[in-house]
């Protein structure tokens, strides 16, 4: 899917900022200039049987407790989805995962979980299907994006784990 065309077609406004490619939050901290909006981290997860796929978007500094999250979502034990599953369902490669990849989930095979702090933020940051740019998406535009893709965000307080835990 051509993300820029999709956003334009649905009159969704987001500013794009180019930067060196980043694969991790640590690289992002080092290489991406300070931008407005909440920094995010994205986890593409699956249940043990591989029947449920879940995109979880959280603040960049939250270490997610996968066991507690699986219980909260009624999904049991969660693990990371493979690069093949990621490409199949969201059309992106590792390092480029973001909520904007929901544009590629026309089958609605991926559940979307968003941490409450990001839902309540004025704007969030997200990779535009590549990891050498970041888009800043105001909250109202995020709502428009989700409506346009047909996805509903499950807004929860994503459980964190203690350092070293």
């Amino acid at each position: 899917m051509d993300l820029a065309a999709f956003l334009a077609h649905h009159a969704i406004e987001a500013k794009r900022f180019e930067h060196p490619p980043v694969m991790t939050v640590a690289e992002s901290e080092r290489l991406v200039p300070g931008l407005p909006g909440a920094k995010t981290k994205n986890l593409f997860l699956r249940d043990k049987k591989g029947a449920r796929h879940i995109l979880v978007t959280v603040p960049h500094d939250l270490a997610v407790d996968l066991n507690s999250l699986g219980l909260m979502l009624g999904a049991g034990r969660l693990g990371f989805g493979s690069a093949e599953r990621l490409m199949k369902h969201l059309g992106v490669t590792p390092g480029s995962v973001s909520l904007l990849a929901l544009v590629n989930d026309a089958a609605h095979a991926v559940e979307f979980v968003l941490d409450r702090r990001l839902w309540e933020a004025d704007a969030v940051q997200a990779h535009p299907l590549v990891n050498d740019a970041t888009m800043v998406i105001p909250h109202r535009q995020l709502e428009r994006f989700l409506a346009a893709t047909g996805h509903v965000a499950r807004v929860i307080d994503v459980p964190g784990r203690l350092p070293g835990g």
Side-chain angles (χ1 to χ4, degrees):
M1 171 77 63
D2 181 338
L3 179 63
F6 180 89
L7 296 176
H9 177 76
H10 293 283
I12 298 166
E13 298 172 13
K15 290 188 178 154
R16 181 181 173 121
F17 299 87
E18 308 289 328
H19 53 70
V22 294
M23 291 291 291
T24 64
V25 169
E27 286 180 0
S28 172
E29 295 269 310
R30 212 173 57 249
L31 299 172
V32 178
L35 299 174
K39 278 180 153 313
T40 60
K41 174 170 66 177
N42 300 274
L43 308 176
F44 179 66
L45 304 172
R46 59 166 183 74
D47 67 358
K48 190 174 182 181
K49 294 179 181 168
R52 287 177 69 184
H53 296 88
I54 307 165
L55 175 63
V56 181
T57 302
V58 298
H60 75 286
D61 56 357
L62 179 68
V64 177
D65 180 339
L66 293 180
N67 292 333
S68 295
L69 179 61
L71 291 172
M72 283 179 82
L73 299 178
R77 189 169 166 187
L78 295 174
F80 289 94
S82 66
E84 293 77 22
R85 285 176 190 263
L86 180 60
M87 181 55 73
K88 175 183 174 185
H89 294 293
L90 293 177
V92 294
T93 57
S96 299
V97 183
S98 83
L99 59 88
L100 291 173
L102 292 170
V103 74
N104 291 325
D105 180 31
H108 297 99
V110 178
E111 300 169 47
F112 179 49
V113 173
L114 184 66
D115 187 83
R116 188 175 318 282
R117 287 167 288 180
L118 296 178
W119 183 251
E120 293 173 352
D122 292 337
V124 295
Q125 298 177 17
H127 285 311
L129 313 185
V130 293
N131 66 355
D132 62 356
T134 296
M135 294 189 97
V136 175
I137 309 153
H139 180 79
R140 176 164 281 146
Q141 303 303 314
L142 173 59
E143 289 185 51
R144 289 177 69 130
F145 173 79
L146 291 172
T149 65
H151 288 84
V152 175
R154 183 165 176 182
V155 179
I156 63 172
D157 293 312
V158 175
R161 58 182 164 76
L162 298 173

